[in-house]
Amino acid sequence: MIKRLSFIFTLALVLVLAACGGDGEAGGEGGDSGSEQSIVFGTGGTSGAYYPIGGALKPIFEESEHVGNVTVESTGASVANIQNIKDGLNQMSIIMSDVGYDAIEGVGQFEGEAVDVQAMAGMYQNVVQIVALEGSGIETVEDLAGKKVGVGEVGSGVEQSAKKVLEAVDLTYDDLSKVTHTGYADSVQEMKNGNLDAAFFTSGVPNSNITDLMQQQGINFVEIKDETAEKLFEAAPFYKEYTIEAGDEAAYDLEKEVKTVGIQNMITVSPDLSEDLVYDLTKRYYEYLGSDSVSVGVLNELDRDEIAKDLIAPLHPGAEKFYEEQGILE
């Protein structure tokens, strides 16, 4: 009986050791992967710039030993991205500074519900581009009164900037004859069909949808300048002057310059991410911007030593640590 029990015990021990030894390598990886973070990266619509930026950064971030995988998610952009991080659905996102400011202050669509928005890095400026059809009679922002206007998808950063620009000239949606909550591609199609007189495109320059429209329709850019721009600067800290230069083939090849305003984009991260993880992601993003591998045009506009400056949101401690080491914080 004792011999039999001893045999059973020995056999059980051998089986346990065999299981550990046979799967030891896989089990080790499983243990490591348990400490790795899966990241859902909230971007924007597939026709905008946020989504391809997410795709370009995905393999860069996945090189981190702290990251298991990065899922690039198409979303409704800024407002949705902030809410998704708050709800734990996204761990990283791209947002516009105006929407981030509203979230931090608990105003606008975040009225009474301030959100802890933490930045990893600044990005290029989203330029407020108001495009009107020739013959629509729209030369100024005030001329949008009584017109059919596309203002961006509901909750998007485009809509937020459209509302603020209209407010600067004492206009609301009620003053327009028609308001459509269309994305870039749909706004262009509606303008081609004659269903819209003008539309807001708050994006990098150039916007490929505007370029497409220009090839089939006569258009003009509505400037945001002088008193209108000053009101925006006074009302919010995130607006900056921006000029779309004339004769730049990479930026519509315009006959005359267009004065407007821009809003900086940011990469934000969940406050729940560890300092080490965000430090490493920030480092990889910084190094990527200094390489020859940048594949999305708007990212080539960035001076990487400026990406931690003039942000409307506080830096995540991991990002702040990296920038301090680089000596590029203000």
Side-chain angles (χ1 to χ4, degrees):
M1 182 67 178
I2 293 174
K3 288 183 178 180
R4 184 178 180 184
L5 290 174
S6 176
F7 172 78
I8 292 172
F9 175 79
T10 302
L11 178 62
L13 181 60
V14 169
L15 290 172
V16 169
L17 291 174
C20 291
D23 294 325
E25 208 168 355
E29 289 177 1
D32 289 342
S33 65
S35 63
E36 292 174 349
Q37 176 74 51
S38 292
I39 292 176
V40 178
F41 191 170
T43 57
T46 56
S47 65
Y50 286 3
Y51 188 72
I53 288 173
L57 294 179
K58 170 182 165 70
I60 305 302
F61 294 148
E62 286 182 334
E63 291 176 359
S64 171
E65 64 181 9
H66 301 285
V67 174
N69 66 285
V70 176
T71 301
V72 178
E73 184 176 74
S74 174
T75 71
S78 299
V79 173
N81 289 343
I82 290 171
Q83 191 63 49
N84 286 346
I85 283 187
K86 180 182 177 182
D87 294 342
L89 302 176
N90 292 359
Q91 289 70 46
M92 174 179 284
S93 69
I94 305 174
I95 67 169
M96 286 171 56
S97 290
D98 56 344
V99 183
Y101 179 82
D102 284 354
I104 292 168
E105 296 296 319
V107 298
Q109 293 195 44
F110 302 92
E111 185 69 42
E113 297 182 5
V115 182
D116 182 11
V117 178
Q118 295 191 9
M120 189 189 91
M123 300 184 77
Y124 66 98
Q125 284 194 61
N126 260 6
V127 181
V128 183
Q129 300 163 77
I130 308 174
V131 176
L133 293 176
E134 283 185 356
S136 64
I138 302 172
E139 299 292 335
T140 68
V141 179
E142 289 88 344
D143 292 335
L144 293 173
K147 302 297 184 179
K148 299 171 290 186
V149 184
V151 297
E153 296 176 346
V154 173
S156 67
V158 180
E159 185 187 27
Q160 292 296 294
S161 62
K163 285 182 175 180
K164 287 179 171 65
V165 171
L166 291 171
E167 288 171 3
V169 294
D170 298 320
L171 292 179
T172 68
Y173 287 169
D174 291 339
D175 297 306
L176 310 179
S177 67
K178 177 182 178 181
V179 173
T180 64
H181 289 91
T182 43
Y184 298 147
D186 288 338
S187 289
V188 164
Q189 191 59 51
E190 290 293 276
M191 292 180 76
K192 288 179 180 178
N193 294 339
N195 296 325
L196 287 179
D197 300 309
F200 282 80
F201 300 79
T202 304
S203 71
V205 174
N207 181 301
S208 61
N209 296 274
I210 295 176
T211 302
D212 173 54
L213 180 63
M214 293 173 71
Q215 292 173 350
Q216 298 186 40
Q217 298 277 351
I219 67 166
N220 62 277
F221 285 84
V222 180
E223 292 189 299
I224 302 173
K225 60 182 181 179
D226 302 332
E227 186 178 349
T228 303
E230 289 301 323
K231 286 184 178 179
L232 290 172
F233 299 147
E234 291 172 9
F238 43 76
Y239 284 109
K240 300 178 181 180
E241 292 182 347
Y242 192 97
T243 300
I244 305 175
E245 301 291 347
D248 184 350
E249 293 184 1
Y252 309 123
D253 196 18
L254 302 175
E255 292 184 3
K256 62 177 183 178
E257 69 178 21
V258 173
K259 292 190 177 297
T260 183
V261 296
I263 305 164
Q264 187 177 33
N265 293 289
M266 298 186 301
I267 297 178
T268 65
V269 289
S270 168
D272 296 331
L273 293 181
S274 72
E275 181 175 315
D276 288 345
L277 169 59
V278 177
Y279 175 95
D280 195 38
L281 294 177
T282 307
K283 178 176 182 290
R284 291 177 186 281
Y285 177 60
Y286 181 83
E287 291 174 347
Y288 172 70
L289 293 180
S291 73
D292 295 327
S293 303
V294 179
S295 58
V296 180
V298 289
L299 294 184
N300 285 312
E301 300 175 13
L302 298 176
D303 178 346
R304 65 179 184 162
D305 289 330
E306 298 294 319
I307 61 175
K309 299 177 181 179
D310 297 325
L311 301 178
I312 57 91
L315 288 165
H316 185 286
E320 185 174 27
K321 179 181 177 182
F322 174 77
Y323 295 131
E324 284 177 345
E325 290 181 1
Q326 293 299 311
I328 59 176
L329 282 180
E330 290 180 313

